[in-house]
Amino acid sequence: MEIALLGRQFNENIITDPGFVDIFPVSRIPKHMQPHFKPIYRLSEESLDRQDRKKEKGFRIATDSSTLSSVLKWVSDAEVRMQSYIKGNSTPQANLDVLDKLMSARHELAEIMGCKSYAEFAIRPNMAASPDVVMSFLLDLSKTVRKKADEEFKRIQDFKRRFCNERSADLEPWDEAYFTGMMKSSTYDLDSSVISSYFSLSQCLEGLKLLVESLFGATFHRIPVARGESWHPDVMKLSLHHPQEGDLGFLYLDLYSRKGKYPCCAHFAIRGGRRLSETEYQLPIVALVCNFPGSPGSSRSRLNHWDVETLFHEFGHALHSLLSRTDYQHFSGTRVVLDLAETPSNLFEYYAWDYRVLRTFARHDTTGEVIPEKLVEAMNGARNMFVATEFQRQIFYSLMDLTLFGEQPATPRETISVVADLKKQHTSWNHVEGTHWHTRFNHLINYGAGYYSYLYARCFAATIWQEICCEHPLSRCTGSALRTKFLQHGGAKDPSDLLKELAGNSVIRNCSRGIVPDTSSLLKEIGF
């Protein structure tokens, strides 16, 4: 109970204490961003001694993760980016204490269960089987990626120095999104507003429906929501129907951002499927909760492509739940070992980037024109420009999570210093003194000692995509293989057998007493 309460407090603190910075004058914020910020006023320094006492307008910028991401990408004023980065990455302060208590409570639980650490307790049931196996996997990846990540860092730094005409300018963490965005846009002539014009939310939902029909021969139908059934009027309900098999399950969609709502995008299994008798099956019920812009019925709800990828990711989880057919609810859908759970979601991200898929639904919201193939090629090119930097970041996150919940030293160390040391060792970027970004990293709650599973999943998904999906991503044959050899089994079958039967024996390899993914498909894909 204490662990659950601490986790809830950690997440609540992220929502209630996002931090903020006050920026004056308004000209320091791009005009297209100004409507999203709260206007504030102060007495102008020039008018303090005058009778008219003019007010100067500025903006209060909340530094929650989403807003901070936009500021760091689009605001040209380096000082504004710096202030926002430091504030956003040093809140909520209260979570430093919450995390210390959580680490202690989880460690106590692990000891009660006969384990040396919470990491051992959490990983023991998984394919990896032990923290040592995971650590070895992560350290090998870190070494593999480092050279290319350092080269990318230098490219960004050189670009900044040329752009700012300062030969010795340092590259700071608050510069990354701004300058990489500029480099991608200039190299591939990309305009985010042009890209989003092809991805209205309504069209993206149509795309998911077409994808499911093409792969699995099943169709989504909107059905009425009974009185008292929904938690908000914006929620819609869909049934997944197969012409021969009947209804396969039900999906709630709660897609639009609103005040006080759960701030992340996530899949929730409301009810798992299970065999009731030889002729009856309890159908699964799941929900996708997202925070996209707009409102139901809005014709102007556009998604950036990162949101499109997120939607496909969460939809992969939903399909895992909806297509599962297990005897017991405990093994239904995503109720699998943790280091397999993210595989379907990572696999369906590939569909969000493949032109053969995008051309089936991505149409300009004004002209109806199908998204141009050259635009999708440019998007993929930009995506791959700094792939080692992003890969390195995910390795660092995984090492941080594993270390914080690993064996506890006799003298407790501040988590700030632990995270700072890991960042210096395993990334090309500096740690900014006074910041503690990890106190808003809610995966420490949901995936304690398990964040590495995203990297496992990326490796598995890369192999499955190359071996099963890439040649004919929309064929019924591809869908049949995914469903019958993988998705329908949920957690009722040994995960290593599932993977090998779907993608071949080389998809995994043994390491000590555990299992690690084969990394060759992923490393080849990202240019190593």
Side-chain angles (χ1 to χ4, degrees), residues 75-121:
V75 175
S76 61
D77 190 312
E79 187 178 347
V80 173
R81 295 199 310 272
M82 178 187 71
Q83 291 177 12
S84 301
Y85 178 92
I86 291 174
K87 187 63 178 180
N89 286 283
S90 56
T91 56
Q93 184 81 20
N95 273 355
L96 287 168
D97 183 54
V98 174
L99 183 56
D100 285 343
K101 292 177 180 176
L102 178 65
M103 289 164 56
S104 177
R106 282 180 167 173
H107 184 66
E108 183 180 351
L109 170 64
E111 289 185 321
I112 291 172
M113 300 302 293
C115 298
K116 291 184 291 186
S117 69
Y118 183 76
E120 181 183 325
F121 170 72

Side-chain angles (χ1 to χ4, degrees), residues 308-518:
V308 177
E309 183 184 67
T310 299
L311 178 61
F312 274 67
H313 176 102
E314 299 302 340
F315 192 71
H317 283 309
L319 287 177
H320 200 181
S321 292
L322 292 170
L323 296 177
S324 172
R325 287 297 178 270
T326 56
D327 289 341
Y328 301 103
Q329 185 166 300
H330 182 70
F331 297 115
S332 177
T334 56
R335 292 165 181 173
V336 297
V337 293
L338 186 61
D339 42 20
L340 182 72
E342 294 292 334
T343 302
S345 55
N346 274 263
L347 178 63
F348 275 86
E349 287 183 20
Y350 283 90
Y351 284 88
W353 289 95
D354 193 290
Y355 179 69
R356 294 165 294 180
V357 177
L358 296 181
R359 70 186 178 189
T360 66
F361 72 90
R363 297 179 180 274
H364 195 279
D365 60 4
T366 301
T367 67
E369 172 196 12
V370 175
I371 190 168
E373 187 170 6
K374 287 186 177 180
L375 177 57
V376 177
E377 289 174 355
M379 289 160 57
N380 276 281
R383 174 196 186 199
N384 293 325
M385 272 186 77
F386 302 104
V387 67
T389 300
E390 178 54 37
F391 198 32
Q392 186 183 66
R393 186 173 9 254
Q394 295 303 314
I395 295 167
F396 160 58
Y397 292 170
S398 300
L399 285 165
M400 173 190 70
D401 173 51
L402 187 65
T403 302
L404 291 180
F405 295 110
E407 290 188 46
Q408 300 299 305
T411 304
R413 293 175 63 197
E414 282 189 335
T415 59
I416 294 177
S417 62
V418 173
V419 174
D421 289 346
L422 289 170
K423 186 172 185 181
K424 292 170 186 174
Q425 293 172 39
H426 296 284
T427 82
S428 310
W429 297 80
N430 294 326
H431 169 73
V432 180
E433 293 299 324
T435 62
H436 42 86
W437 163 87
H438 59 287
T439 55
R440 58 165 57 176
F441 188 55
N442 63 0
H443 285 84
L444 294 175
I445 308 304
N446 306 326
Y447 280 81
Y451 191 79
Y452 77 92
S453 61
Y454 280 96
L455 289 172
Y456 264 47
R458 284 195 66 186
C459 293
F460 295 143
T463 304
I464 295 168
W465 176 260
Q466 291 299 327
E467 297 295 327
I468 305 298
C469 307
C470 186
E471 189 173 355
H472 301 291
L474 293 171
S475 75
R476 192 65 56 83
C477 182
T478 298
S480 177
L482 293 176
R483 184 182 180 189
T484 60
K485 294 183 179 181
F486 189 12
L487 299 175
Q488 76 176 24
H489 296 288
K493 195 170 184 177
D494 183 272
S496 59
D497 290 340
L498 273 180
L499 290 164
K500 288 189 289 187
E501 288 177 17
L502 177 63
N505 290 336
S506 62
V507 68
I508 59 174
R509 60 185 177 86
N510 293 322
C511 177
S512 298
R513 289 175 295 169
I515 291 171
V516 297
D518 178 74

